[in-house]
Amino acid sequence: MLHRKDSAGIPGRATLLLAALLPLAAAQAQTAGTPFIARPFSAPATPSGVTPAPVPQQAPAFPGSGSPSFAAPSAPGTLPPFPAPDAGRPPPQTPVQNPNPSGVAASAVPAVALTLQQLTDIVLQNNPALLSAQQVRTTAGAAVTTAGAFPNPRLEFTGGRQNARIPSSLSGNVTTYGVSQLIENPAIRSARIDAARFGERGSQFQVVVNRNELIAQIRLRAYEFLLRQAEAGAAAEALGLLEQSRTRVQARVDSGEAGRYEIIKADAELVLARQRRQSALLMADQAALALNRLAAGQLPARWTLTDARLVDNAPLPDLESLQQQAFTSNPELQFLQSEIDRANATVDGARASRWPGVELRYSQARDPEVRQNVLGVSVQVPLFDRRAGPIAEATSELIRARTRLEGRQAELQQQLLSAWKALEMARLRADALSQGAVRDSEAALRVAEAAYRFGERGILDVLDAQRVLRTVRSDLLEARYQVQSARIELDYLAGRLVGTPSAPAADYRP
C-alpha cells in the first residue's frame, strides 16, 4: 500500500482510490459505447510558503506480474492516466442473430390493402383443414361408384382323367367348365346406392359446415385485429396526453409552484402508458399472426383492412326470420338430415338383405363318352339368419340420428336467442358509452386540466380524469367489438356466411 501526504498532512488514499477506479470507469464506458474523458483531479490547496513533499516511488510488490506501477503525477493537481486492465484488447463482440434475414426493415415494407372478402378468399384457398375436409367429398364420391358396381361373374374349371375298368368303357380326359352370375336383389342394390349418395351429400354439407366455421373465425379474427389496432391508437393518444401533462407538471415543479411528488406521479403514469401502448401493439401483431396461421402463412407481411370498421350502424335483425332461415339454411342441420336419410337407406338395405339375390349357374362336363350341359339356379333361404342383428343396428342408428337433429334444432333456437340478446345488449352499451360516458369523461378532463392550470386542482385530479377517459374509451371499443362478434355469430347460426350445395347427382332421391 502506498501512502502519500501532502503539505497539509492529508493522506493521499483518496487520490490512489480514484486512480484505481479510473480504469474501471473507462472499461464500462467502452462497453456501453460512450466516450470516456478523464478530467483533472484538483488536489487540496497547498499553503503558501510550504513546498510540497516529493512523492516516493515504490516498485511493484510482484515484479514481472504485469501489475501497473503507480507513478507520481507529472504536474501538481493532476493524475496520470492509468492503463485499463484490458488495454490493447478489443471488447468481446456478442453474436446477434438477425431477425430479418432479407435485410429490409419491417417498417419499410409497404402495407397491402385488403378487403374483408379478399382476406377471406386467401384463407379459404390455403387453409389446410378446409382442404382436408374437401378431400372427404372426393372419397364419398368414390363410395358412390363402389356402391353402384355389379358383382363379377365367377368361372370354374376342373379337369381329370377317366380310366376304363370294364371292356365296354373308354379311357380319356374328363373336363368341366362352369360359369355363375349373382343377380343381386334390386332392393339391396338401390338401398346401398341411396346410402352412398346420402353419404356423399352429407360430406358436402360437412365441407359447408367447416367452411361456415372458418369464415366466422376469419371475420372474428379480423375484427379482433381492428380492435387491437384501435386500442393501440387510443393508447398512443393517452400517451400523448400524459406527455403534455408531464411537461406542464415539470414547468410547475421547476418554478416551485408544485411539489416533487407530482412529477414522480406523472413519470409513473407515463411509464405505464408506454407499457400499455406497447402491449396493444403486440396484441395487434398476435391477431395478425392468428389470421396468417389460418391462411397457412400466405398473407402478406404487412396488410390493412380497407372496408371493415368496428362501428356498426346496421339495424337489429328480426328474430323470427333468423330462426326460419336457420332451420332451412343451417349447414349443420342439413348434414344431420342427410345422416337421417342415410340411416333410412341403411335400414331398408338391412331388411332387403334377407333375400340377397339369385345365382345362375351353367356348366358343361366332357368325358370320352358323354357331354353334359347343366343349368342351375340357387337361392339363399332366410331360415336361420333373418338379419335381425343388422336391422336392429340400422334402426338404432336411425333413432340416434333423429335425436341428434331434434336436439340440435332446440339448441340452435336457444343459441339464436342468446346471440340476438347479446347483440341487443352490446348495441345498447355501445350507444350509451358513445353518446354519454365518453362525452362526460372528455368534459371532466377538460375541467380538471383547466383547474390545474389555475392552481385549483392537483396533478392527481388530472391523472384520474385521464384514467377515467381511457377506461371509458376502452369499454367503448370492447362494446363495438362485442356487437360485431354477436352479429357474426348470428350469421354463422343462420347459415348466411355460405351457400347451400346442390344435389350430388341428377337421380338423387330425397
Side-chain angles (χ1 to χ4, degrees):
M1 180 67 69
L2 295 179
H3 298 279
R4 183 181 67 179
K5 290 187 179 181
D6 53 14
S7 57
I10 301 175
R13 296 183 179 179
T15 302
L16 296 178
L17 181 60
L18 289 176
L21 292 177
L22 279 175
L24 297 178
Q28 292 180 356
Q30 185 178 7
T31 304
T34 58
F36 177 76
I37 302 175
R39 301 186 180 275
F41 173 75
S42 298
T46 304
S48 58
V50 179
T51 303
V55 181
Q57 298 287 341
Q58 182 174 351
F62 304 97
S65 61
S67 301
S69 59
F70 297 92
S74 58
T78 60
L79 289 176
F82 290 92
D86 296 332
R89 184 171 55 187
Q93 299 292 333
T94 304
V96 180
Q97 186 178 3
N98 185 11
N100 188 8
S102 61
V104 181
S107 59
V109 179
V112 180
L114 296 176
T115 63
L116 186 58
Q117 185 60 41
Q118 290 175 346
L119 177 65
T120 304
D121 293 340
I122 294 175
V123 176
L124 292 179
Q125 292 173 4
N126 299 280
N127 185 261
L130 183 60
L131 296 178
S132 176
Q134 290 175 352
Q135 193 63 30
V136 177
R137 184 170 52 187
T138 304
T139 304
V144 175
T145 304
T146 303
F150 289 96
N152 293 320
R154 185 172 58 184
L155 300 178
E156 297 179 0
F157 172 78
T158 58
R161 182 171 179 78
Q162 174 179 325
N163 296 321
R165 302 183 63 182
I166 56 177
S168 60
S169 299
L170 298 177
S171 300
N173 296 327
V174 178
T175 57
T176 301
Y177 302 93
V179 59
S180 62
Q181 175 65 50
L182 176 64
I183 300 178
E184 195 175 14
N185 188 350
I188 298 178
R189 174 180 171 80
S190 177
R192 185 176 65 247
I193 294 176
D194 289 343
R197 291 190 182 278
F198 284 123
E200 182 186 16
R201 185 171 176 81
S203 67
Q204 290 185 356
F205 283 124
Q206 186 63 43
V207 172
V208 176
V209 169
N210 295 335
R211 185 185 180 91
N212 194 28
E213 293 179 356
L214 182 58
I215 293 177
Q217 289 184 13
I218 294 170
R219 294 193 176 183
L220 197 62
R221 298 286 186 181
Y223 282 107
E224 182 184 358
F225 174 71
L226 294 177
L227 171 65
R228 302 310 178 192
Q229 282 189 331
E231 288 178 347
E237 184 178 354
L239 178 60
L241 291 176
L242 283 173
E243 289 176 348
Q244 294 176 5
S245 300
R246 200 264 180 198
T247 303
R248 291 194 293 267
V249 170
Q250 182 66 46
R252 295 192 61 182
V253 171
D254 293 340
S255 63
E257 298 179 5
R260 184 67 180 171
Y261 172 75
E262 293 192 359
I263 193 63
I264 295 176
K265 183 63 176 177
D267 288 339
E269 290 291 337
L270 196 61
V271 171
L272 293 177
R274 288 171 180 167
Q275 291 179 353
R276 283 191 296 268
R277 179 176 178 273
Q278 188 66 23
S279 299
L281 291 175
L282 291 177
M283 294 179 70
D285 292 341
Q286 288 180 353
L289 288 176
L291 280 170
N292 201 11
R293 184 175 65 250
L294 292 178
Q298 298 301 318
L299 289 178
R302 295 180 68 246
W303 52 272
T304 56
L305 288 176
T306 58
D307 62 340
R309 297 292 183 270
L310 282 177
V311 180
D312 185 5
N313 297 324
L316 191 67
D318 183 62
L319 182 59
E320 294 183 0
S321 62
L322 280 176
Q323 291 177 348
Q324 293 177 0
Q325 186 177 5
F327 289 152
T328 57
S329 302
N330 185 274
E332 191 173 357
L333 295 183
Q334 294 173 339
F335 168 73
L336 293 176
Q337 183 61 47
S338 66
E339 289 294 312
I340 292 178
D341 297 337
R342 181 181 180 183
N344 275 322
T346 305
V347 171
D348 295 339
R351 290 174 179 173
S353 64
R354 289 178 294 187
W355 298 94
V358 178
E359 185 177 7
L360 300 180
R361 294 180 179 179
Y362 172 78
S363 62
Q364 185 183 74
R366 297 180 180 181
D367 57 39
E369 298 179 353
V370 181
R371 176 179 295 181
Q372 297 179 353
N373 295 322
V374 180
L375 180 64
V377 177
S378 65
V379 178
Q380 182 178 356
V381 180
L383 182 61
F384 300 105
D385 184 10
R386 301 185 61 85
R387 310 296 293 173
I391 293 175
E393 292 178 5
T395 305
S396 177
E397 287 295 326
L398 175 60
I399 296 174
R400 176 173 173 268
R402 288 175 177 172
T403 304
R404 289 178 58 192
L405 177 60
E406 294 173 358
R408 183 60 186 134
Q409 287 177 345
E411 183 183 6
L412 180 61
Q413 186 175 5
Q414 297 300 320
Q415 286 180 345
L416 282 170
L417 180 59
S418 177
W420 190 82
K421 290 290 184 182
L423 176 59
E424 184 180 12
M425 290 186 296
R427 283 173 58 89
L428 292 176
R429 184 186 177 195
D431 293 340
L433 289 172
S434 60
Q435 297 176 4
V438 173
R439 296 178 182 177
D440 295 341
S441 301
E442 291 175 351
L445 177 59
R446 288 194 296 268
V447 170
E449 289 178 345
Y452 179 75
R453 284 196 299 268
F454 290 104
E456 297 179 1
R457 292 289 186 271
I459 188 60
L460 292 180
D461 296 328
V462 178
L463 296 179
D464 289 339
Q466 290 180 356
R467 188 181 301 108
V468 171
L469 178 59
R470 183 173 62 249
T471 304
V472 171
R473 287 180 175 176
S474 177
D475 293 341
L476 176 60
L477 292 176
E478 185 67 26
R480 288 175 175 174
Y481 172 74
Q482 292 299 330
V483 170
Q484 296 293 345
S485 176
R487 190 174 294 277
I488 290 172
E489 186 176 2
L490 283 176
D491 292 340
Y492 163 72
L493 294 175
R496 292 179 172 182
L497 301 179
V498 291
T500 303
S502 59
D507 56 348
Y508 162 75
R509 296 194 314 167

